[in-house]
Amino acid sequence: MLTGLQVTFIGGDARQLEVIERLTELDATVQLIGFDNLQSSFSGVVRAKLTPEALVSTDAVILPASGMEEDGQVMTIFSSEELVLKTTHLEAIPKTCKIFTGIAKPALKKLCETYSIEVVELFERDDVAIYNSIPTAEGALMMAIQNTDFTIHNSKSMVLGMGRTGLTMARTLAGLGSKVKVGVRKPEHYARAWEMGFTPFYTKDLADHVKDIDLIFNTIPSMIITAQIIAKIPHRALIIDLASKPGGTDFRFAEKRGVKALLAPGLPGIVAPKTAGRIIANTLGRLLMEDSEKGGR
Ligand code: NAP
């Protein structure tokens, strides 16, 4: 249990409701900042404004999946007031406190480094990334279905990158009867893709593999679907770029050539906020319990 642990939520979206519920169940003392318009009432939860005083005795700060923007803004869908984290807030947070976020942009990392506060990026963890790959693949399928006039079954699809998201995407497509090519750069990934029944190829040979493709799902977070590649893709093909912004596609050239290309960030929070919230809640609950046990609470 998390009895006696003070946890402060600063901003967030629907996913945070699952996390608040879980930490409340675990008996943490929960404080909400930036939740003024939230209707649901969690018992025992207190609400506060973003002030240094509100943070002086907190053991953990939970930021939204997107963390903090470069100008200090923290997103919240539960308040019309702006939330901006400042140096005075970081100064007030105890050094033993950890800040949990989905991803930490450079400004948040720098701020935490300056004030010697540990920041934990939940989306960097393998377990969270693998669980998140499930709603991501489902969301990508939804987009594919909405933006094509053919079935996934019997289509020729391609997944670029065979990491945590790519593997789930490839398996999901194959499960629906698509013929799946997987682009990799390591021989061991090539071997694994072949063992799993996909058609592997090396991404350096990408240009040779796109000429009859129907669907491309990119998970490689660097420019891979270049103008030269797009020039070889059939006009009917759809590119869904799952890699973090700005994606790995030359969107300008795709538009010019009339090939539909969609950047699809943040799918878990869009298509399955409850599941995505539970993924965060389960991991966060476990991490806080481990910390609590280590600290002899
Ligand atoms: P990951 O496990 O690190 O997988 C990335 C894959 O890309 C790895 O297999 C890596 O291969 C490959 N790769 C990287 N650079 C490459 C290059 N230059 N050429 C060939 N292959 C390359 O990451 P992930 O968790 O699957 O996430 C992938 C991307 O999707 C990230 O940008 C992540 O932020 C994003 N994402 C988006 C959503 C969404 O909703 N759209 C959801 C989850 C994740 P090696 O092993 O050879 O390096």
Side-chain angles (χ1 to χ4, degrees), residues 76 128 130 134 199 206 209 214 220 250-252 284 289:
T76 178
V128 174
I130 292 168
I134 302 165
T199 305
L206 176 58
H209 290 270
D214 298 313
I220 297 175
D250 187 335
F251 288 99
R252 188 201 59 83
L284 204 46
M289 295 254 257

Side-chain angles (χ1 to χ4, degrees), residues 103 123-126 128-130 132-137 139-140 143 160-168 183-189 202-204 218-224 240-245 247 263-271:
I103 50 159
F123 291 177
E124 285 293 312
R125 293 174 55 92
D126 274 342
V128 174
I130 292 168
N132 260 339
S133 72
I134 302 165
T136 305
M143 291 180 73
L160 295 173
M162 210 183 74
R164 299 162 302 189
T165 309
L167 192 53
T168 306
V184 298
R185 64 175 168 184
K186 289 185 181 147
E188 59 268 37
H189 288 167
Y202 286 108
T203 44
K204 67 178 171 48
N218 176 48
T219 73
I220 297 175
S222 57
M223 181 50 69
I224 178 104
I240 297 184
D241 201 330
L242 299 168
S244 50
K245 280 182 194 167
L263 185 62
L267 288 174
I270 297 168
V271 298

Side-chain angles (χ1 to χ4, degrees), residues 133-166:
S133 72
I134 302 165
T136 305
E138 289 190 11
L141 274 185
M142 176 193 79
M143 291 180 73
I145 291 165
Q146 282 173 341
N147 287 281
T148 53
D149 55 5
F150 50 83
T151 56
I152 305 264
H153 183 268
N154 210 35
S155 66
K156 294 189 176 84
S157 63
M158 172 182 286
V159 177
L160 295 173
M162 210 183 74
R164 299 162 302 189
T165 309

Side-chain angles (χ1 to χ4, degrees), residues 208-259:
D208 302 333
H209 290 270
V210 291
K211 76 172 187 313
D212 60 348
I213 212 74
D214 298 313
L215 296 163
I216 302 181
F217 298 87
N218 176 48
T219 73
I220 297 175
S222 57
M223 181 50 69
I224 178 104
I225 310 178
T226 58
Q228 289 89 327
I229 300 293
I230 293 167
K232 298 193 169 162
I233 293 176
H235 286 281
R236 66 166 189 279
L238 172 69
I239 301 168
I240 297 184
D241 201 330
L242 299 168
S244 50
K245 280 182 194 167
T249 305
D250 187 335
F251 288 99
R252 188 201 59 83
F253 189 75
E255 192 177 356
K256 190 172 168 198
R257 187 145 191 281
V259 172

Side-chain angles (χ1 to χ4, degrees), residues 7 9 20-21 23-24 28-33 35 38 40-48:
V7 181
F9 286 80
I20 296 167
E21 194 177 323
L23 299 192
T24 311
T29 305
V30 172
Q31 169 173 251
L32 303 182
I33 296 177
F35 288 76
L38 178 65
S40 38
S41 56
F42 294 99
S43 63
V45 164
V46 296
R47 297 182 193 220

